[in-house]
Amino acid sequence: METMEVCGRNYPVIGYVEDETLGTVPLLDIPMMSDYNWQLRPLQSRLKNPELYREVLGGVEKVIAGLYKWLKEYRKETFS
């Protein structure tokens, strides 16, 4: 299997695309996190360790409320 190194890690090449400017560009199989999990992880961290975030971005309670709101809206849009 062909691989390509990116930032010290090797990823499988799953195909190629042609670009007018760049020429042939490899498509790599790089694992991605969903938007939902991207927001869920900071919420979990803030709930577990609120003292670490107390002075950041207007207070941990405000950030937690914003993350809850985003997650609720995302679920409603995605699963309705």
Side-chain angles (χ1 to χ4, degrees):
M1 171 181 279
E2 183 181 4
T3 63
M4 182 175 204
E5 185 177 329
V6 178
C7 297
R9 292 187 61 190
N10 287 312
Y11 296 97
V13 176
I14 58 173
Y16 291 89
V17 293
E18 291 294 325
D19 181 82
E20 291 179 17
T21 305
L22 302 173
T24 303
V25 179
L27 293 175
L28 305 180
D29 187 12
I30 299 175
M32 298 289 171
M33 184 182 302
S34 70
D35 289 343
Y36 188 83
N37 284 335
W38 183 260
Q39 298 295 334
L40 182 59
R41 286 186 175 188
L43 174 60
Q44 291 169 330
S45 178
R46 281 159 178 82
L47 291 171
K48 185 177 179 180
N49 304 296
E51 67 281 355
L52 298 177
Y53 302 96
R54 195 74 53 208
E55 302 300 321
V56 181
L57 300 173
V60 70
E61 291 79 11
K62 180 179 177 183
V63 174
I64 287 172
L67 288 166
Y68 269 129
K69 182 176 185 277
W70 188 95
L71 290 164
K72 183 178 177 182
E73 289 173 3
Y74 180 90
R75 286 191 60 126
K76 188 166 80 173
E77 290 173 12
T78 304
F79 299 110
S80 50

